[in-house]
Amino acid sequence: MADMEKFRSETRAWLAANCPPEMRKPVANENDVFWGGRNTTFASEPQRLWFERMRDKGWTVPEWPKEYGGGGLDAEETKILRQEMAAISARLPLSSFGIWMLGPALLKYGTEAQKREHLPKIAAGLIRWCQGYSEPNAGSDLASLQTRADIDGDDYIINGQKIWTSMANFADWIFCLVRTDFSAKKHDGISFILFDMASKGVSTKPILLISGKSPFCETFFDNVRVPRSHVVGTVNRGWDVAKYLLQHERSMISGLGDRSGSRPLGQVAANSVGVDEHGLLDDPMLRGQIAAFDVDEAAMACASERAVDLAKAGQGHPAYSSALKYYGTELNKRRHELLMSAGGVDALEWESERSREGLAARSWLRTKANSIEGGTSEVMLGIVAKRILDLPGA
């Protein structure tokens, strides 16, 4: 306990000295989020300083081993670091699908050569990754995927299409599910493979959403040549890797429901609705809705922390991430519904300077996709019913 208190004290002091004041404010727009990558640019000098200081300390991935670019912290130390960052509203120094999804899968299933090749680059923000899972005819039924990889000497030749590939047009590499055995059952014969998005035959096309933004893409593979050594895990057993990665993806998406570093909803609402003579939000109904949301948000944070503690104790349930993903999704949608209510008519503005290019409305529309990405809400509830509640007929 004394060691942990010492670590907390030292961490608090280091963060106070090294996290720029600008990096303790809520994210204002997409440029405020640093994703790294080959062609990366920093939105500001404080953003660069914060990233580089955390990278040099290994705290972009504090729980990863030091030999892979991590901080080598144990679970309790990592938890303390997260708590101390939250206490000063410090932003993440690096956002990355490599950190949230691919990294854990590589640590579990990758060869030593694959770990040493890819993990340090992820930790240092040198390579930006995207995920090649869904296809036009393989969404919720992902195991029906048809993108194929045919053996040609020491390589695979990949042909097919992926869809809803988040930020594929900005990614350097992709972790991708391909079918390597068409004679096997659909959950078998799938392999998990990594390749460079700059490879000949790879192309992307952004998909315009109702929000007016294009975070998703169609991704096409036309005779893309990839070394067979890039397969992660066992050939034809990629579904095992895919399922493990999905647990981490769903935990990541569940984090949308925890906006503890964001400006409180009550403060946002007070700017447009005003307060009464007692300093309370001058709309009793909205005030009650925000209070209920705050309680549920706090419960979600506790549930997420409990999930981490259970996993640390070896008691984690593999389906718990589905429950968190579903509830985090619903919380994030509720948050933006309340932001729209609090903003009144001003929240409906779409392109004026005052609305920062319709940030409230566009963000509200964007949250509708939360119920689909990473597994639909219906699928998540089905998993909870079957694997956690053990309901008959589920």
Side-chain angles (χ1 to χ4, degrees):
M1 184 64 69
D3 288 344
M4 288 299 101
E5 286 306 313
K6 180 182 178 183
F7 178 79
R8 183 182 294 277
S9 176
E10 292 174 348
T11 299
R12 183 178 298 165
W14 189 90
L15 291 173
N18 287 278
C19 182
E22 295 87 349
M23 295 296 102
R24 307 183 194 192
K25 298 176 181 177
V27 171
N29 53 53
E30 293 176 1
N31 291 331
D32 268 355
V33 180
F34 181 65
W35 287 88
R38 288 176 182 148
N39 302 310
T40 191
T41 57
F42 293 98
S44 66
E45 182 64 8
Q47 186 185 73
R48 182 189 68 80
L49 285 172
W50 178 226
F51 163 72
E52 291 182 353
R53 288 167 179 173
M54 289 288 276
R55 176 202 62 195
D56 293 347
K57 202 165 178 63
W59 283 1
T60 57
V61 280
E63 69 278 23
W64 288 9
K66 289 185 177 181
E67 60 264 33
Y68 303 136
L73 302 188
D74 62 27
E76 189 62 29
E77 289 170 333
T78 301
K79 181 177 177 180
I80 289 172
L81 172 60
R82 303 295 189 209
Q83 289 173 342
E84 292 302 318
M85 288 178 64
I88 63 170
S89 300
R91 297 180 191 172
L92 287 177
L94 174 64
S95 294
S96 167
F97 295 151
I99 291 174
W100 300 326
M101 294 188 279
L102 176 61
L106 279 177
L107 284 167
K108 183 175 176 67
Y109 290 99
T111 64
E112 186 61 25
Q114 289 170 341
K115 292 175 185 178
R116 292 192 178 275
E117 171 64 22
H118 297 295
L119 292 177
K121 293 177 182 178
I122 292 172
L126 297 176
I127 295 294
R128 184 169 178 175
W129 289 82
C130 64
Q131 176 187 31
Y133 270 31
S134 296
E135 298 182 3
N137 294 310
S140 296
D141 185 16
L142 178 60
S144 295
L145 64 92
Q146 295 297 303
T147 294
R148 65 185 302 138
D150 296 294
I151 293 176
D152 182 22
D154 291 333
D155 298 334
Y156 281 111
I157 305 298
I158 298 176
N159 285 280
Q161 178 187 357
K162 298 294 179 177
I163 199 166
W164 310 120
T165 320
S166 298
M167 295 178 277
N169 50 333
F170 300 115
D172 303 311
W173 277 63
I174 186 170
F175 47 95
C176 191
L177 292 181
V178 295
R179 190 164 294 283
T180 42
D181 185 352
F182 276 80
S183 65
K185 295 179 180 179
K186 68 178 184 178
H187 286 87
D188 300 322
I190 293 173
S191 296
F192 187 103
I193 195 166
L194 316 175
F195 55 96
D196 196 319
M197 289 289 283
S199 302
K200 183 180 179 181
V202 178
S203 59
T204 62
K205 180 182 178 182
I207 302 170
L208 187 64
L209 301 185
I210 192 174
S211 65
K213 304 292 184 180
S214 300
F216 301 116
C217 294
E218 294 179 277
T219 307
F220 303 92
F221 310 125
D222 183 14
N223 291 324
V224 181
R225 184 173 290 273
V226 181
R228 291 167 67 176
S229 61
H230 287 200
V231 169
V232 177
T234 305
V235 173
N236 296 330
R237 295 296 301 172
W239 192 247
D240 296 336
V241 185
K243 288 190 298 182
Y244 183 77
L245 185 145
L246 280 172
Q247 293 178 34
H248 291 273
E249 180 184 9
R250 288 163 183 168
S251 296
M252 172 196 74
I253 295 173
S254 75
L256 293 171
D258 179 11
R259 301 300 296 270
S260 53
S262 302
R263 194 166 169 230
L265 278 174
Q267 290 182 13
V268 177
N271 286 347
S272 56
V273 176
V275 296
D276 61 20
E277 64 274 15
H278 303 294
L280 300 175
L281 193 64
D282 201 12
D283 183 331
M285 184 172 293
L286 183 59
R287 188 168 70 229
Q289 292 172 337
I290 291 175
F293 174 87
D294 287 344
V295 170
D296 291 341
E297 185 179 54
M300 174 69 182
C302 290
S304 298
E305 188 169 324
R306 180 170 179 264
V308 172
D309 290 341
L310 287 172
K312 182 178 69 173
Q315 300 173 10
H317 194 295
Y320 198 49
S321 61
S322 296
L324 292 177
K325 190 272 178 181
Y326 172 79
Y327 198 67
T329 286
E330 294 305 307
L331 268 182
N332 196 46
K333 287 160 61 180
R334 275 174 62 193
R335 176 182 176 80
H336 284 273
E337 292 281 352
L338 288 168
L339 284 170
M340 290 296 289
S341 297
V345 174
D346 289 345
L348 298 175
E349 293 182 325
W350 193 250
E351 293 181 338
S352 72
E353 270 187 38
R354 181 179 178 187
S355 68
R356 286 191 299 172
E357 295 188 354
L359 181 62
R362 292 176 191 272
S363 298
W364 166 65
L365 289 169
R366 172 64 181 86
T367 64
K368 304 306 177 185
N370 296 163
S371 300
I372 302 171
E373 56 200 346
T376 66
S377 290
E378 289 81 1
V379 168
M380 296 302 100
L381 291 173
I383 292 172
V384 170
K386 181 178 181 179
R387 303 195 180 280
I388 296 180
L389 301 178
D390 198 23
L391 296 178

